Amino acid sequence: MELYFLGTGAGMPSKERNVTAIALTLYDERGSMWLFDCGEGTQHQMLRSPLKASRLEHLYITHLHGDHVYGLPGLLTSRSNQGGTSPLTLFGPPGLEAMLEPVLRLSGAHLSYELSIREVEEGIVFEDDQFVVHCAKLDHRIDSYGYRVVEKDKPGKLDADKVKALGIKPGPVFGRIKRGETVELPDGSVIDGKSFIGSPIPGKKIVILGDTRYCEAAVGLAVNADVLVHEATFDSSMHDLAQAYYHATAEEAAEVARKADAKSLILTHISSRYQEEQAERLLSEARAKFPAAWLAKDHWAFAVN
C-alpha cells in the first residue's frame, strides 16, 4: 500500500500546493485505488501523477467545505472519459448527495459506471474480507470525519519444508494443509494443517483525518496506527487563530500521534502562508514532540510498510 498526495494545501490552492486530495493505492491487495477528499483541480493533479481515475474504487469525503469537494464533478465525469466502467462508491457526510446530485443532473453529466453514494455516521462504514473502515466525528466548524482503514490480518506463512519432510509433495493434499485443514494421510495418520502455518500477519492501519481542532476523537481513531495523516494548518504561534477557525497546529498533530502511539505522522493541509522553506517550521515543531513525522508535498508518496 502507498499514500500518494495529490493536494496538500489548506483553504485555497497556492503555487506550491493544490487543495486536499490523498490517494491510497491498493494495487497489490485488490488492484484498485481509494481517494480521500477531492478538492478543486484534483483531476488535473491526477493527470500529472502515475494514478488512473479508472482504477478508483472508493472515494471518501471528510467534510463538505469547498477545498475538499469542489473537484468531485470534474473527476467523476472525467473518469468516464478515461475508460472507467467499474462501480464507484462515494462515502461522505450527510448532505453530500444533495450537494452533488443537482450539479451532475443540471450539467447533463454522463457516467459510464454505477455511482453509489453512502452518507456516513460514526462507526463502521465499509467492511469486506480484506478491509474494515471506521469513521468518527472530529471537532470542526461543520461536520468533519476522520477515517480509519484497517487491513485485516493475513494468514501466516506455510512452513513448506516441514510439510515436505513428511513426504507430501505439491498437490491437492499439500493445498489443503496450506489452507489449514485437517488432513488424513494414506497411512491413516491425521495432521492438523494449522500446525504448519505461522502466526497471522497483522494488517496495516491507516488513519486519515478531516479538518479538526485537537480532540480526543482523533486520538481514538489513531490508536496504534501505522500512519496518521493529520492537518497542520498553522504553527503553534498561531494557536489562537487555529482555535478560532477550528484547525490544528503542527504541535497538536504531533500530540495526537504521540498519545495514540502511532508509528508515523504525516502533516498536510498546510496554510498558503507557509511557502517553501517556511513550511519546514511546521515539521520541526512536530518532530520536537513526535520524531517520526513527515511533511507532505504535492506528488509525494509514502509507502505503508
Side-chain angles (χ1 to χ4, degrees), residues 10-56:
M12 62 181 70
S14 67
K15 291 182 179 180
E16 287 189 6
R17 299 176 184 273
N18 198 51
V19 285
T20 302
I22 304 166
L24 174 61
T25 59
L26 303 168
Y27 296 149
D28 292 338
E29 291 77 11
R30 57 202 294 142
S32 67
M33 173 181 71
W34 293 357
L35 188 67
F36 293 80
D37 285 332
C38 188
E40 180 183 0
T42 294
Q43 63 171 321
H44 298 278
Q45 293 288 86
M46 199 169 288
L47 289 173
R48 302 183 184 97
S49 79
L51 307 176
K52 302 294 182 184
S54 59
R55 302 185 78 169
L56 185 58

Side-chain angles (χ1 to χ4, degrees), residues 172 175-183 191-194 196-197:
R176 290 180 62 193
I177 294 172
K178 187 175 181 179
R179 292 191 294 273
E181 299 177 10
T182 299
V183 176
I191 60 173
D192 182 359
K194 294 185 179 66
F196 294 84
I197 298 175

Side-chain angles (χ1 to χ4, degrees), residues 3-237:
L3 287 166
Y4 189 98
F5 290 82
L6 291 160
T8 58
M12 62 181 70
S14 67
K15 291 182 179 180
E16 287 189 6
R17 299 176 184 273
N18 198 51
V19 285
T20 302
I22 304 166
L24 174 61
T25 59
L26 303 168
Y27 296 149
D28 292 338
E29 291 77 11
R30 57 202 294 142
S32 67
M33 173 181 71
W34 293 357
L35 188 67
F36 293 80
D37 285 332
C38 188
E40 180 183 0
T42 294
Q43 63 171 321
H44 298 278
Q45 293 288 86
M46 199 169 288
L47 289 173
R48 302 183 184 97
S49 79
L51 307 176
K52 302 294 182 184
S54 59
R55 302 185 78 169
L56 185 58
E57 178 189 13
H58 290 176
L59 207 165
Y60 294 87
I61 298 297
T62 62
H63 65 295
L64 300 183
H65 276 156
D67 58 319
H68 294 256
V69 297
Y70 283 171
L72 275 173
L75 179 63
L76 293 177
T77 51
S78 291
R79 185 175 186 264
S80 291
N81 297 329
Q82 295 169 8
T85 57
S86 58
L88 171 61
T89 304
L90 180 58
F91 300 83
L96 177 60
E97 185 169 12
M99 182 199 73
L100 185 60
E101 187 276 332
V103 177
L104 296 177
R105 173 171 48 83
L106 294 173
S107 65
H110 170 70
L111 303 184
S112 60
Y113 53 89
E114 177 186 352
L115 176 66
S116 300
I117 300 177
R118 299 185 188 176
E119 296 188 342
V120 304
E121 56 185 28
E122 292 186 298
I124 294 175
V125 298
F126 173 78
E127 184 173 12
D128 65 7
D129 59 349
Q130 289 181 299
F131 291 93
V132 58
V133 181
H134 307 254
C135 81
K137 193 178 293 186
L138 304 172
D139 183 11
H140 195 48
R141 188 163 55 85
I142 64 173
D143 286 354
S144 180
Y145 290 85
Y147 293 98
R148 177 182 174 92
V149 179
V150 179
E151 180 187 29
K152 294 186 176 180
D153 292 350
K154 299 176 182 178
K157 294 183 179 180
L158 175 71
D159 188 339
D161 292 338
K162 185 177 177 181
V163 177
K164 291 176 182 177
L166 296 177
I168 302 171
K169 298 179 179 180
V173 173
F174 196 99
R176 290 180 62 193
I177 294 172
K178 187 175 181 179
R179 292 191 294 273
E181 299 177 10
T182 299
V183 176
E184 183 176 352
L185 301 180
D187 63 3
S189 59
V190 177
I191 60 173
D192 182 359
K194 294 185 179 66
S195 64
F196 294 84
I197 298 175
S199 301
I201 302 170
K204 300 299 181 184
K205 303 176 184 68
I206 301 162
V207 177
I208 300 174
L209 304 184
D211 291 3
T212 185
R213 294 192 290 199
Y214 175 88
C215 64
E216 290 303 316
V219 176
L221 275 176
V223 168
N224 297 323
D226 290 279
V227 56
L228 165 64
V229 180
H230 196 298
E231 71 138 284
T233 309
F234 299 107
D235 68 84
S236 59
S237 71

